[in-house]
């Protein structure tokens, strides 16, 4: 008997929430929305009802669309001297990075509206059933696992920045630090908020009591959102960016977000190379892959229009730089769901790092997208009013060799190279989903090459000769993304949760 579906996600509880909906007769979109709610509970630094995201949805009828419920810039700018906007330093152990937080870094959240719009248009079970696994996890609590504890340790200054944040995330054993691995984290206010939303709907967040509380917090605490920002927020439904690649048809997140576009550009370059069956990790394979990453970075910096970037002339310009060369040469999470009907849901979510402020009475950490350097390349406070913020997030659906695939990744700029390599592993090297996900990766950015262990020594020597600025990692790391992937061939489900980011796979019989 064919199984009901499969899910791969970044936490066992997130995957289990989706599995429970599939077991109860829900479809892939019901399962994905249940996983979204639960991820907000058990992956609190990576996503929140106060953030945003994207869903690439392929229905059993063959229609594919992208739901963009990412954050929106405020409609009005507040004077700089009135903003709560300040830096904190995150400690990665081997390096430090500065983030900006405070209510002045908050953009209009989209996750709640996206949750309800997807449910209204694609869901099949009541919203109360969708939120139930998340409510149980929040009310009863879950032990913090190793990955989430590690992430908490990095961004501790954010999650201890305010009384509201400390009340939620400070360890009951030692209020000077956030929760540690194994400590039981309960979030009763978030459980109440989820139940209230299920009963009253998304208007509660955008026009009701939650909206009023958020506007009051902004006014009092140096934020920029007004009632019109919340009431006017809408989910954008977009046609996906489609790319054919060696017999596979890919559906990617389109502009104004950039991740899908850059993946499509890289695939156009990769299509001209012949990786060869069974040559994964060979010097020719890795050198070509690194050069494509280099050219994709150059194309991104060159700033062509969306239409130009995939035009044959533009692709050819960069392809020619690859030909004939000698051989000597911020926080996100992913949920991928398929069901036996042929529905596919690929969902990527983010809260930035969180702004340090919690919406009173709800347990909802708010985003800091206006404090994200990657999302503000022209400098802080120079954003245009009332526009959808662009993102590197690129949830993807693919059809290949009579198989349906859902995948995506977290990992800031690294997510696009993680997705590129996983797709290439599936299509070019015929790997199983588990092999495609677990295989070692490289990443090239700003002339620095990062390499996971597991490649042949001669290939590594070739790469490091070409890129003297490099880092050879001792073990696989969340730096290289987390491509949670599921595949369905019409008879059998397979997949893999990426162990780099706490991956969990559930196949529902």
């Amino acid at each position: 008997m064919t199984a009901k579906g499969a899910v791969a996600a970044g936490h066992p509880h997130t995957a289990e929430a989706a599995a429970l909906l599939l077991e109860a007769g829900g479809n892939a979109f019901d399962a994905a929305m249940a996983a979204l709610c639960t991820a907000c509970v058990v992956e609190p630094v990576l996503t929140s009802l106060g953030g945003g995201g994207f869903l690439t949805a392929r229905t059993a009828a063959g229609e594919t669309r992208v739901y963009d419920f990412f954050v929106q810039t405020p409609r009005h700018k507040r004077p700089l001297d009135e903003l709560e906007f300040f830096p904190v330093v995150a400690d990665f152990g081997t390096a430090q990075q500065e983030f900006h937080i405070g209510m002045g870094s908050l953009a209009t959240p989209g996750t709640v509206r996206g949750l309800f719009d997807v449910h209204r248009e694609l869901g099949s079970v009541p919203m109360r059933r969708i939120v139930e696994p998340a409510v149980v996890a929040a009310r009863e609590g879950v032990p913090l696992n190793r990955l989430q504890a590690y992430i908490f340790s990095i961004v501790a200054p954010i999650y201890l920045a305010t009384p509201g944040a400390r009340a939620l995330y400070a360890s009951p054993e030692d209020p000077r630090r956030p929760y540690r691995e194994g400590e039981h984290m309960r979030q009763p206010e978030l459980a109440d908020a989820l139940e209230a939303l299920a009963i009253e709907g998304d208007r509660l967040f955008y026009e009701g009591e939650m909206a009023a509380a958020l506007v009051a917090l902004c006014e009092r605490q140096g934020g920029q959102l007004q009632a019109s920002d919340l009431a006017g927020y809408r989910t954008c439904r977009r046609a996906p960016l489609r790319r054919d690649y060696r017999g596979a048809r890919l559906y990617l997140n389109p502009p104004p977000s950039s991740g899908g576009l850059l993946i499509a550009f890289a695939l156009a370059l990769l299509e001209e190379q012949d990786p060869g069956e069974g040559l994964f990790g060979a010097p020719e394979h890795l050198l070509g892959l690194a050069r494509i990453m280099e050219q994709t970075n150059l194309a991104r910096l060159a700033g062509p229009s969306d239409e130009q970037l995939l035009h044959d002339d533009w692709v050819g310009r960069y392809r020619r730089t690859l030909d004939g060369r000698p051989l000597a040469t911020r926080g996100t999470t992913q949920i991928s769901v398929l069901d036996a009907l042929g529905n596919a849901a690929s969902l990527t979510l983010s809260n930035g790092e969180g702004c340090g402020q919690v919406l009173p009475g709800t347990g909802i950490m708010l985003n800091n997208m206006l404090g994200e350097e990657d999302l503000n390349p022209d400098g802080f406070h120079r954003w245009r009013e009332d526009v959808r913020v662009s993102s590197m997030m690129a949830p993807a659906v693919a059809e290949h060799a009579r198989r349906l695939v859902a995948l995506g990744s977290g990992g800031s700029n690294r997510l696009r190279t993680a997705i590129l390599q996983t797709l290439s592993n599936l299509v070019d090297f015929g790997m199983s989903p588990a092999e495609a996900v677990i295989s070692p990766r490289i990443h090239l950015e700003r002339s620095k090459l990062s390499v996971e262990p597991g490649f042949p020594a001669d290939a590594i020597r070739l790469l490091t000769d070409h890129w003297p600025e490099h880092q050879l990692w001792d073990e696989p790391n969340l730096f290289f993304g987390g491509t949670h992937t599921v595949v369905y061939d019409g008879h059998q489900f397979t997949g893999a949760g990426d162990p780099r980011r706490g991956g969990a796979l559930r196949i529902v019989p």
Side-chain angles (χ1 to χ4, degrees), residues 104-125:
S105 68
L106 172 65
T108 308
T111 295
V112 172
R113 180 126 290 161
L115 165 67
F116 278 85
D117 282 342
V118 172
H119 176 257
R120 279 187 284 262
E121 296 177 19
L122 300 177
S124 64
V125 302

Side-chain angles (χ1 to χ4, degrees), residues 231-395:
Y233 182 88
R234 298 291 183 269
T235 300
C236 295
R237 296 152 184 84
R238 307 187 192 278
L241 175 63
R242 197 180 83 180
R243 181 76 197 178
D244 291 340
Y245 175 75
R246 294 183 179 166
R249 175 154 293 178
L250 308 173
Y251 300 94
L252 298 160
N253 192 10
S257 289
S258 58
L261 191 69
L262 292 169
I263 291 169
F265 178 79
L267 288 169
L269 298 179
L270 186 60
E271 195 166 25
E272 293 303 302
Q273 297 189 1
D274 182 11
E277 188 70 26
L279 291 180
F280 175 85
E284 297 89 344
H285 167 226
L286 293 185
L287 182 62
L289 196 58
R291 283 175 167 167
I292 285 168
M293 293 178 186
E294 184 176 59
Q295 296 305 313
T296 305
N297 289 336
L298 291 173
R300 179 188 179 197
L301 294 173
S305 68
D306 300 336
E307 294 77 12
Q308 286 177 318
L309 187 57
L310 292 180
H311 192 277
D312 287 344
D313 290 344
W314 188 269
V315 171
R317 170 181 169 184
Y318 284 89
R319 182 182 290 150
R320 286 190 291 274
T321 70
L322 301 176
D323 291 341
R325 291 197 180 191
L327 285 179
T329 55
R330 234 162 214 269
T332 44
T333 195
Q334 170 69 25
I335 298 162
S336 302
V337 189
L338 301 175
D339 66 30
L341 298 174
N343 295 303
S346 182
L347 176 66
T348 315
L349 304 163
S350 179
N351 197 40
E353 292 79 36
C355 76
Q357 292 281 2
V358 176
L359 181 60
T362 69
I364 298 173
M365 171 65 77
L366 300 166
N367 72 77
N368 69 322
M369 295 299 184
L370 300 183
E372 285 278 298
E373 187 174 358
D374 287 347
L375 301 181
N376 296 272
D378 297 326
F380 296 122
H381 315 303
R382 295 186 179 182
W383 38 266
R384 289 170 49 208
E385 294 93 334
D386 198 26
V387 297
R388 190 59 48 96
V389 175
S390 178
S391 172
M392 195 63 69
M393 290 189 281

Side-chain angles (χ1 to χ4, degrees), residues 29-38 40 48-49 51-55 67-70 109-123 125-131 134 193-195 197-198 201-202 205-206 233 235 237 347 349:
F29 310 112
D30 297 315
M33 294 303 101
L36 178 159
C37 295
T38 301
C40 292
S48 166
L49 294 176
F54 301 87
L55 169 70
Y67 288 82
D68 174 351
F69 49 93
F70 202 46
T111 295
V112 172
R113 180 126 290 161
L115 165 67
F116 278 85
D117 282 342
V118 172
H119 176 257
R120 279 187 284 262
E121 296 177 19
L122 300 177
V125 302
M127 181 59 78
R128 290 193 190 189
R129 184 70 186 85
I130 298 289
V131 306
L194 285 161
E195 287 185 323
L197 286 166
D202 49 338
F205 188 90
Y206 292 96
Y233 182 88
T235 300
R237 296 152 184 84
L347 176 66
L349 304 163

